[in-house]
Amino acid sequence: MPTYIPEPFRIKMVEPIHLIEPAARAAALKAAGYNIFGLRAEDIFIDYLTDSGTGAMSHHQWAAMMAADESYAGARSYYRLKAVMDDIFGFKNFVPTHQGRAAENILANLLVQPGQYIPSNMHFDTTEGNLRARGGRPTNLIRAEAYDPQARVDFKGDMDIAKLRAFIEETGVANIPLGMITITNNAGGGQPVSMANLRAVSAVYKEYGIPFIIDACRFAENAYFIKLREPGYADKTPIEIAREMFSLADGATMSAKKDGIVNIGGFLAVNNDDLFQRIRNELILREGFPTYGGLAGRDLDAMAVGFMEALDERYLEYRLAQTAYLGESLLEAGIPIIEPPGAHAIYMDAKALFPHIPQTELPGQALAAALYLEGGIRAAELGTVAFGYTDPDTGKEILPALDLVRMAIPRRVYTQSHLDYTVEVLKRIAAKRASYHGYRITYQPRLMRHFTAQFEPL
Ligand code: F0G
């Protein structure tokens, strides 16, 4: 039996959730064009669509929001956030942004020219979308084991350093305006990146003079994996590990909706002063003055408190154990997942669960639909719909190596019984797997199609 660590908090505010009737679920899904993004949230029982902005804030965060300063420029809230930013991330400059993709947009707009390449372990969809929107070519250079769902390695999010070096040599430094890494690697199972790998990536980028930007969405969870798994870090605190990680980079983009445990917020941080001047000007044009960046003062205060709470060891111990509990319980039930479990989500291997559905018929979409129909559960397809694309050079349709369905666990929201219910629903689906069919796309936009695509069952 996988073990469950009791929540290191108790509940003092509740929000009712309901499981609507099977016929109502079928009607709701059809009306949404079989895209789970199109469902009304009130028609969902357990929502694993994302861990982004869906966390429960603490009483300290709510109290800080009440004491916020809503001045347009130079608010106390900004300086409280700045003190925390300096303490954890330590970059010379930062601006708040309304969320992660706003930071990505500014960075891509300022640095990326059409035809240029941007290496990373794996880019997440919004990063990829923002880079492609400027004509950039996001390139994933993750270690090979990441594509083997059953490979149990400690740091499955690590970049392949030999591949990175060869890639830079082939592509030429002039064609690489920046290099990135995503911690943890959301597009590949929420797997952590080791400090050793961050150090090696940093050294290679430095050697070639390529600015190194960390996508820091889940930095606290990554830091705790380093503490648990990497030799030499067992006695360090998560904040010490975080400081070391960011000392290796030239900047970071962050969606604070993850490890800031806020409903909205993010930042863009860089050491380079000239680049920062341009960032500020761009921010003023699109987001707001540099001391609020499209957020209210109260959002800045919630972030400042949230970053520190996300680094609390008791919280992180429970957080990683909760996700592992769901993952190990599914494995016991014979449901294939990406192993080992990551920090923020469990990724089911839809091709392995539904081997009778060819990848072109979207097994991940079929599993996401099945979860809702069978149990009122919402989970996100991160497979052929999310990551399939047309190659700009050849015009060929490229299918991703994995067809995954992600159950992202909102922070401090669901309990053990919600996870047990989820396992029961998946057992029922697995027991009648042969009865499920694939899907066909009837509408799709050019970029990030999974959010608004429409489907038809086959
Ligand atoms: N980078 C990573 C690794 C992410 O996971 C996300 C968002 C972003 C950037 C963009 O941040 O949403 O604040 O603009 N991921 C969410 C998810 C949406 O569900 O994984 P954002």
Side-chain angles (χ1 to χ4, degrees), residues 72 95-96 106 276-294:
Y72 189 94
V95 286
I106 293 170
F276 185 63
Q277 286 296 350
R278 295 164 63 212
I279 287 172
R280 284 208 306 187
N281 295 337
E282 189 65 22
L283 186 90
I284 291 170
L285 198 61
R286 297 172 200 285
E287 294 270 314
F289 191 73
T291 61
Y292 76 86

Side-chain angles (χ1 to χ4, degrees), residues 385-397:
V385 183
F387 294 112
Y389 68 98
T390 309
D391 186 282
D393 293 328
T394 63
K396 253 183 69 179
E397 186 66 15

Side-chain angles (χ1 to χ4, degrees), residues 169-213:
E169 289 290 336
E170 261 167 46
T171 311
V173 173
N175 295 317
I176 306 177
L178 73 154
M180 297 188 74
I181 200 162
T182 313
I183 60 172
T184 58
N185 180 27
N186 188 10
Q191 301 290 330
V193 177
S194 66
M195 191 71 81
N197 192 252
L198 285 169
R199 216 175 285 125
V201 169
S202 168
V204 171
Y205 284 146
K206 223 171 236 114
E207 181 186 329
Y208 289 95
I210 298 168
F212 176 23
I213 305 293

